[in-house]
Each structure stands twice: as C-alpha cells, then as structure tokens.
Amino acid sequence: MRAPAGGHDLERRHLFLPTTTPVDEVLDRHRPRRTDPGALGVLDATGANLARSITVDSSTGPELDGAAGDEWYESVDDLSDLEALFESFRTHLERVEPAAPAPGEVRFCLDSIDPFFDAVDEEELFRFVHLVTSAIRERRGMGHFHATATIGNPVLSTIEPLFDATIYVDVGPDGEPKQRWRLHEHDLLTDWFALD
C-alpha cells in the first residue's frame, strides 16, 4: 500500500511488526532516523507461537537509544489472536501518530506476513489486513508488507487486492537486484527495472 511520500525533510513516525527479522536488526536499519519512543513502535512477533497470548515484556526487549520506559516495545506471542494483535497495533499507531499527519508521515512495516499463512485461515487474515490497511489510509500513511511466498500463492492472491501495488523483487543474471510493480487499480504490470 502506498500513499504520497511527503517531503524528504518530514520527521516520519514508524510502527514495525517483525515476524522473522530480529528487532535489533530492525532498529539498526532504522538508525540514524528518528527513534524516540513518541515516534516509534515495535510489535515484536519474532518469537510468536500459537499457544500464548500477547504480552508486554520490556525486561527482554531491546534497548532503544535514549528511551525512557518501554512504551515503544511490545512482545507478541500469538499470531492467531488477530483481534488482540489489531488492538495492540491500533494502540501503538495512535500513540505515534501526530495530531494532523502529513501524507506519508506515518509508516508501517510488517516483515514478514508469511508466518500468518499457517497461523490463521485465509478469511481471518484478509479481515486483519483490511483493518490494518484501512487504519493506515485513514492517517494518510504508508504501509508495506513483506512476503517470501511465490507468485500464485492462494493466500497472497486473496489479500493482494487490498494493496495499491505489489512489488516483485528478483536477482537478474548479472547478480543485480531488480523490481517489477503491479498496480492493482489499473491492472498494470511494469517491466523489470533496477532496484535502487
């Protein structure tokens, strides 16, 4: 899902939901951009399983530069409880959003959606993704969901129409990464071009 990017000097506000990428790596990639607790939220689902519920555990959470308290971090233990996960998402989103967000100021990243394919059924996942993307659109934000599932995956095909675009990434014969965009509203598929 994409929205206008806004100005390059805009102080962006980020909410991350990593399922496979360690939180320390997410934070390292995010620095030196803004990482104060009022502009950053992490719902850490890297250790999630199907037997537990969502809890906040700041004692095992990563360190955030200059962070006072643990409001920016929450540990997610159960990917199948999408209702609780959405409530946590919405709480963090409301915490980081400014009073009048500029287009593209609020950013959300789910890295990666693949673990949800086995945790919940297709209909539940569709509803969850619809709620998340709607909340981001209401704030004129930008969201992106990473997936390693192949083209034609039935669950991925079901949720793709909820997004403005799907970006396919591959490596060319020369070893250079390349990308191809599918714009859903116009049913347009671009040629492959360099990934910058």
Side-chain angles (χ1 to χ4, degrees):
M1 177 178 69
R2 291 178 48 87
H8 293 294
D9 58 345
L10 189 64
E11 289 194 1
R12 307 202 192 287
R13 293 155 184 270
H14 293 86
L15 178 55
F16 295 98
L17 173 50
T19 59
T20 58
T21 305
V23 174
D24 288 333
E25 187 177 318
V26 170
L27 295 176
D28 286 344
R29 286 191 313 214
H30 189 65
R31 292 180 179 105
R33 292 173 285 173
R34 190 170 180 190
T35 54
D36 64 85
L40 176 70
V42 175
L43 293 169
D44 179 9
T46 56
N49 64 47
L50 303 181
R52 296 178 292 182
S53 60
I54 293 177
T55 60
V56 178
D57 184 2
S58 60
S59 63
T60 60
E63 294 290 322
L64 185 63
D65 297 341
D70 57 5
E71 63 192 356
W72 67 276
Y73 179 82
E74 186 168 345
S75 177
V76 177
D77 294 324
D78 185 358
L79 291 181
S80 69
D81 190 350
L82 296 181
E83 186 176 332
L85 181 56
F86 180 72
E87 286 305 313
S88 293
F89 160 82
R90 188 166 55 184
T91 298
H92 282 275
L93 189 62
E94 290 171 354
R95 181 181 56 75
V96 301
E97 74 172 312
E105 183 175 2
V106 175
R107 305 277 174 113
F108 172 71
C109 175
L110 193 162
D111 184 15
S112 135
I113 197 168
D114 295 55
F116 287 95
F117 296 166
D118 293 325
V120 296
D121 68 37
E122 195 172 307
E123 186 177 323
E124 290 176 300
L125 184 58
F126 182 91
R127 195 168 100 243
F128 172 74
V129 172
H130 183 266
L131 288 170
V132 169
T133 56
S134 296
I136 295 165
R137 280 192 176 99
E138 286 172 8
R139 290 156 176 86
R140 304 188 308 163
M142 179 183 289
H144 55 102
F145 294 62
H146 295 253
T148 59
T150 58
I151 298 170
N153 175 289
V155 180
L156 196 56
S157 297
T158 299
I159 63 173
E160 270 187 292
L162 295 172
F163 301 97
D164 298 328
T166 300
I167 304 170
Y168 306 101
V169 179
D170 202 353
V171 178
D174 57 359
E176 293 297 316
K178 58 183 182 174
Q179 62 184 319
R180 174 180 229 178
W181 289 52
R182 177 177 299 282
L183 305 175
H184 298 289
E185 184 178 356
H186 303 290
D187 195 25
L188 175 67
L189 183 64
T190 69
D191 290 331
W192 288 99
F193 58 98
L195 180 64
D196 295 327

